[in-house]
Amino acid sequence: MEEPLSPRESGRFLSELSRDVFVVEEGAKCVAQMIFELRESEDFTASGWKKNNPLAPPPDSDEAVNWVFVTDTMNFSFWPDKEEEQCEVKCRGNNYRGYMSLCAAVTRAMDEGVPITSPSYFSQITEAKLAHVLRSDTTTPMPMLKERHQVLTEAGRVLLERGGSFRKFMSHCENDAEKMVKYIVQNIPSYRDEAIYEGKRISLYKRAQILVADFWGIMEARGEGNIPNLDCLTMFADYRVPQGLVYLGALRYSDGLMETLKNGELLSSGERREVEIRGCSIWCVERIQHHLWNLVEQRDGKKCHINSALIDFYLWAYAKKHHKEMAHIPIHHTRCIYY
């Protein structure tokens, strides 16, 4: 079987053929200008990663990098069936929803003495014990418990076969982001986020790429976390960032797709419109990065350090912060293990 197109190649391919999702070049330029004004902000550094992930353990220990592995392995499908019925987890005096509810649940378990970051433990954890770890502080449980249990135990067994920790697993990859993504995808089935579009095998690799970026972030870009070619990563195609891109005018949905999403219709994983939303989001952020790098070169006379992964982190946080203002733009909903 032929190798799939890389996420970047997939984004370009999809943007050229897409029928319902379109990259708006002028909008991409405007977002690039917005980020240019913030280019010296801590948001675009490894320490900015820590600010957005306050529940993560301190860097350097196996506990820290395994925490990233556990959370990213289960990092999918947090949206509620009904907006008013949210899964919520309380940890260290604060309440968390969405992806942060997962981070809170894992950190809460650590605070309670559960060895949830140990591969020898989570590779064999029962579904009932994981249900307790991920328990909600509301009547709405975290979605897809069975799937989270399956992918976590499977991934834990892989780590045990390849050194016993995520740090040792990644040591095979020579601090190379591209090799890291390939190694993750080749060895852990739940990270193989691929589809067929117009007869072509494409890849999106949301969780594999964000796992590499989070490894870089939690290690504060030091030691094994000093990854010189982080630029090879694209954005991490999910459901929140596309909404932000539409809100900011860098991405446009057809009237038909917008109507479908406003009616609350679920899109299945791998279907044409779902793949177009995710693939065109990747290419949209590539265009934002292109315009941003041009701005920095022209006005500052130097190379820009802000890559697609950092733009994604910024846009995800932006979408969360401005969720009320962009509530009129529907989020696409797909229940799957990939995002």
Side-chain angles (χ1 to χ4, degrees), residues 57-277:
D60 293 347
S61 66
D62 278 351
E63 184 179 72
V65 293
N66 285 341
W67 181 94
V68 159
F69 184 76
V70 168
T71 54
D72 282 349
T73 296
M74 295 190 288
N75 179 5
F76 53 83
S77 201
F78 298 104
W79 49 272
D81 289 324
K82 295 180 181 176
E83 191 59 36
E84 66 275 10
E85 295 177 4
Q86 295 266 2
C87 168
E88 199 167 283
V89 174
K90 187 171 185 177
C91 180
R92 299 177 180 176
N94 293 308
N95 294 322
Y96 298 93
R97 292 178 170 184
Y99 162 69
M100 291 304 297
S101 70
L102 174 69
C103 297
V106 173
T107 298
R108 176 181 63 187
M110 292 169 64
D111 290 348
E112 293 170 351
V114 178
I116 190 61
T117 60
S118 169
S120 59
Y121 178 81
F122 67 73
S123 64
Q124 300 183 60
I125 192 171
T126 65
E127 190 173 323
K129 285 183 178 176
L130 185 62
H132 181 72
V133 167
L134 301 181
R135 69 191 182 276
S136 175
D137 287 305
T138 68
T139 56
T140 304
M142 194 168 289
M144 300 184 76
L145 174 65
K146 186 178 184 65
E147 290 83 358
R148 292 184 206 279
H149 176 256
Q150 183 179 336
V151 302
L152 183 62
T153 52
E154 173 190 71
R157 290 192 293 271
V158 171
L159 290 196
L160 291 181
E161 292 165 3
R162 288 165 175 76
S165 73
F166 184 50
R167 172 181 270 110
K168 288 180 180 173
F169 178 85
M170 291 297 247
S171 69
H172 296 275
C173 305
E174 303 168 344
N175 294 62
D176 183 296
E178 191 171 3
K179 288 181 181 177
M180 287 174 173
V181 171
K182 284 183 178 177
Y183 194 67
I184 292 163
V185 169
Q186 286 168 357
N187 287 286
I188 309 176
S190 70
Y191 280 88
R192 268 172 228 148
D193 180 8
E194 299 171 0
I196 302 294
Y197 183 81
E198 297 293 338
K200 201 83 174 166
R201 192 167 160 222
I202 60 111
S203 69
L204 301 156
Y205 296 156
K206 184 262 185 180
R207 287 197 297 116
Q209 293 197 106
I210 205 170
L211 180 53
V212 173
D214 285 350
F215 181 66
W216 167 86
I218 200 165
M219 296 192 71
E220 298 178 346
R222 292 183 286 116
E224 308 101 302
N226 177 19
I227 305 171
N229 67 335
L230 205 70
D231 291 357
C232 80
L233 302 183
T234 68
M235 64 84 77
F236 319 121
D238 66 352
Y239 46 84
R240 187 179 292 280
V241 174
Q243 181 197 31
L245 291 170
V246 173
Y247 174 77
L248 291 168
L251 204 63
R252 180 175 65 82
Y253 294 162
S254 70
D255 291 345
L257 177 58
M258 189 66 87
E259 191 65 29
T260 294
L261 299 182
K262 284 183 175 177
N263 288 338
E265 182 181 323
L266 298 187
L267 303 182
S268 59
S269 178
E271 74 129 279
R272 179 183 62 79
R273 294 168 300 176
E274 186 257 359
V275 172
E276 287 181 359
I277 291 171

Side-chain angles (χ1 to χ4, degrees), residues 42-53:
E42 187 187 27
D43 290 339
F44 300 106
T45 65
S47 57
W49 183 95
K50 179 61 179 174
K51 187 175 73 173
N52 288 324
N53 294 269

